[in-house]
Amino acid sequence: MSSEAATPDEIDDLAHRAQAGDEAALDAVLTAIRPRTLNVCKGVLPYSPDAEDACQEALINIATKIGSWGGRGRFTTWTHVVAVNSARTTYRRMKNQAVPADPQEHSPVTERPDPRTTSVIAGTRLDLLDAMETIERDHPQYVEPLLLRDVYGMAYDEIATLIGVPLGTVKAQIHHGRKLARPLLRGDS
């Protein structure tokens, strides 16, 4: 089965077989989901080598944690969340390793990482990830639903199924997350 030809049903079937210990099915499912996983990572990290690193991390996480996919929703939906989390982890790691453009300067401007050293070239993406980190400190339950809905365009019901909470809860989490994100993205904080 070629990765382009794999339907969601075929991918779900491969994932179930991989959960049962079929190594060939695990290889096939990883091959089938790799392009989509890479695209998700590129949505957060537009610099290709960084997105590739995040994608590889996501595929390793998927392979080692495939048993935790509950089968409630599509396997590709579950892998989407794993990919988002891997890309965010890669971003955080790069942000923590970033140094100011001029290490001799100690102005407030240099407290923010230099986007050239964190891969996130588009300023709005850097602002979004920083806003999500700020929200996550006090309200971690809002971040995942908000990213899945507003960044990746996932349907509310699909998010509810994926994270295992009622639809109304997902809508409320996204609403509250947006209220917290707006001032952070406008720079009102």
Side-chain angles (χ1 to χ4, degrees):
M1 167 185 341
S2 76
S3 61
E4 284 85 45
T7 67
D9 287 338
E10 291 168 331
I11 290 172
D12 286 354
D13 180 58
L14 286 170
H16 284 297
R17 290 180 17 221
Q19 283 182 316
D22 183 336
E23 289 187 31
L26 179 61
D27 288 343
V29 77
L30 292 174
T31 299
I33 64 170
R34 187 183 189 292
R36 179 180 175 167
T37 303
L38 181 58
N39 284 337
V40 169
C41 292
K42 283 181 178 179
V44 176
L45 301 165
Y47 183 59
S48 290
D50 297 334
E52 287 280 349
D53 288 348
C55 177
Q56 195 60 31
E57 180 182 317
L59 293 174
I60 290 168
N61 287 336
I62 290 164
T64 58
K65 297 176 183 176
I66 196 165
S68 68
W69 172 55
R72 289 188 310 240
R74 288 278 182 202
F75 184 71
T76 52
T77 303
W78 179 78
T79 62
H80 189 104
V81 172
V82 174
V84 168
N85 289 336
S86 292
R88 290 180 65 218
T89 299
T90 298
Y91 166 76
R92 278 191 207 107
R93 183 175 55 247
M94 292 167 54
K95 180 179 170 184
N96 290 336
Q97 293 170 353
V99 294
D102 181 353
Q104 299 302 318
E105 289 183 25
H106 296 293
S107 69
V109 174
T110 61
E111 289 176 13
R112 289 191 71 164
D114 180 354
R116 293 168 300 186
T117 61
T118 59
S119 168
V120 184
I121 294 164
T124 55
R125 225 177 253 155
L126 181 65
D127 293 344
L128 176 63
L129 290 172
D130 284 344
M132 291 303 105
E133 284 187 3
T134 299
I135 293 169
E136 194 166 38
R137 277 183 234 137
D138 294 323
H139 305 285
Q141 73 276 17
Y142 300 160
V143 174
E144 187 175 43
L146 185 60
L147 285 172
L148 293 173
R149 177 69 186 158
D150 288 354
V151 175
Y152 293 99
M154 202 174 277
Y156 289 106
D157 58 341
E158 194 175 10
I159 296 168
T161 300
L162 181 68
I163 63 176
V165 298
L167 179 61
T169 301
V170 165
K171 289 180 177 181
Q173 289 173 336
I174 291 168
H175 171 75
H176 293 300
R178 285 174 178 159
K179 281 175 58 175
L180 292 170
R182 278 185 198 109
L184 295 170
L185 294 173
R186 285 193 309 249
D188 295 349
S189 59

